[in-house]
């Protein structure tokens, strides 16, 4: 009789373990599929869209937007000292620009922004008047920065409290914004930091791509005028 009871207990334990493994697998597969679908709605913005996958399981989308190459990616930040884990969205125009210095304007830098090269730039410069009060600016060549009149018209970009960073470099342009934070209740109670369940809206991305194109056009226009004046 004890042997029968032990057999039944072992069978129940085995069934419970199998159910747990099955549910864990289903949850992991659902998470993988939801992450892969994160850019599905944005494909319509681009011609010749190209979809890849990063090591985090999130996709990376590239293609042509209004004649210019663009790159979209997200970087999860789950560092424990943050109040909540975050999902950072990086919008880039990888293109050669007629400038010598890199400039990185970041709101409230902490020193551990895993998505950014902000702190690898060697020089921090004074904040000009009427720039965001809580920003910092770093560069690699302070003598060759863009004239302020080029960047200043684009500072309303930072009226959006979710915008984190603007990068202008000889290799291209980038805007970074906070796309999502982990659900507070699920994170505090269950340590569930899953993000990106809902695909990002193209209406969130298109205005920022347009902003990058406008900055690019202003830089190129300034370069043409400078070349003409020097001739």
């Amino acid at each position: 009789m004890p042997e029968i009871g032990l057999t039944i207990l072992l069978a129940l334990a085995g069934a419970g373990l199998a159910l747990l493994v099955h549910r864990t697998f289903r949850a992991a597969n659902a998470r993988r599929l939801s992450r892969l679908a994160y850019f599905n709605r944005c494909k319509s913005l681009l011609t010749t869209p190209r979809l890849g996958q990063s090591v985090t399981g999130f996709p990376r989308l590239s293609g042509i937007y209004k004649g210019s190459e663009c790159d979209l990616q997200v970087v999860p930040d789950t560092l424990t000292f943050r109040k909540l884990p975050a999902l950072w969205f990086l919008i880039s125009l990888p293109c050669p620009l007629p400038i010598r210095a890199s400039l990185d304007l970041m709101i409230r830098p902490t020193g551990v922004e895993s998505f950014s090269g902000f702190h690898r730039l060697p020089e921090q410069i004074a904040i000009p008047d009427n720039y965001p009060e809580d920003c910092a600016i770093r560069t690699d060549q302070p003598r060759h920065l863009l004239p302020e009149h080029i960047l200043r018209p684009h500072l309303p970009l930072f009226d959006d409290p979710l915008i984190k960073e603007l990068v202008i470099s000889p290799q291209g342009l980038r805007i970074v914004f906070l796309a999502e934070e982990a659900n507070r209740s699920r994170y505090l109670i269950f340590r569930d930091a899953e993000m990106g369940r809902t695909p990002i809206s193209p209406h969130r991305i298109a205005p920022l791509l347009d902003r990058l194109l406008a900055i690019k056009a202003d830089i190129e226009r300034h370069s043409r005028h400078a070349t003409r004046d020097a001739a």
Side-chain angles (χ1 to χ4, degrees), residues 90-218:
L90 284 59
I91 305 176
S92 305
L93 290 186
C95 59
L97 292 174
I99 56 177
R100 295 176 62 178
S102 294
L103 180 146
D104 194 325
L105 191 161
M106 181 177 286
I107 303 297
R108 296 180 296 277
T110 63
V112 290
E113 286 82 9
S114 58
F115 53 83
S116 175
F118 179 81
H119 289 280
R120 291 195 292 272
L121 293 173
E123 301 287 340
Q124 183 156 330
I125 64 175
I127 307 302
D129 292 339
N130 301 319
Y131 274 55
E133 293 182 358
D134 50 357
C135 80
I137 302 176
R138 298 189 73 88
T139 183
D140 55 351
Q141 298 194 53
R143 296 183 184 179
H144 300 288
L145 289 174
L146 281 170
E148 279 187 36
H149 73 267
I150 295 178
L151 183 56
R152 194 175 292 276
H154 300 287
L155 292 179
L157 167 72
F158 292 96
D159 291 344
D160 181 345
L162 297 181
I163 299 295
K164 179 68 172 177
E165 182 182 33
L166 171 65
V167 181
I168 301 174
S169 82
Q171 293 77 43
L173 305 164
R174 171 174 290 169
I175 289 173
V176 179
F177 71 92
L178 178 61
E180 189 178 343
E181 286 186 321
N183 179 274
R184 179 177 296 275
S185 297
R186 288 201 305 267
Y187 181 70
L188 294 178
I189 298 173
F190 304 108
R191 311 309 289 179
D192 178 4
E194 182 60 24
M195 296 170 286
R197 289 183 170 92
T198 302
I200 190 80
S201 169
H203 300 296
R204 180 66 172 118
I205 305 305
L208 299 179
L209 283 168
D210 289 334
R211 175 67 68 177
L212 289 178
L213 288 177
I215 297 173
K216 176 176 179 284
D218 286 348

Side-chain angles (χ1 to χ4, degrees), residues 22 157 220:
H22 176 68
L157 167 72
E220 293 173 339

Side-chain angles (χ1 to χ4, degrees), residues 60-75:
R60 183 169 183 169
L61 180 64
S62 301
I64 304 299
Y65 179 77
K66 296 184 178 179
S68 293
E69 179 73 20
C70 74
D71 178 78
L72 310 178
Q73 59 177 309
V74 286
V75 178

Side-chain angles (χ1 to χ4, degrees), residues 1-13:
M1 243 351 236
E3 291 80 1
I4 296 175
L6 180 59
T7 300
I8 293 173
L9 287 175
L10 289 174
L12 290 174

Side-chain angles (χ1 to χ4, degrees), residues 25-94:
F25 176 80
R26 285 183 58 188
N29 189 55
R31 180 170 60 249
R32 180 183 67 84
L33 293 176
S34 68
R35 286 187 173 187
L36 287 175
Y38 191 68
F39 285 138
N40 279 2
R41 297 175 61 192
C42 291
K43 291 180 183 178
S44 61
L45 290 173
L46 310 179
T47 56
T48 63
R50 305 182 302 276
L51 193 65
Q53 185 176 359
S54 67
V55 294
T56 63
F58 282 99
R60 183 169 183 169
L61 180 64
S62 301
I64 304 299
Y65 179 77
K66 296 184 178 179
S68 293
E69 179 73 20
C70 74
D71 178 78
L72 310 178
Q73 59 177 309
V74 286
V75 178
D77 175 5
T78 56
L79 293 176
T80 55
F81 64 82
R82 279 187 54 85
K83 292 182 180 180
L84 289 172
L87 190 65
W88 298 103
F89 200 113
L90 284 59
I91 305 176
S92 305
L93 290 186

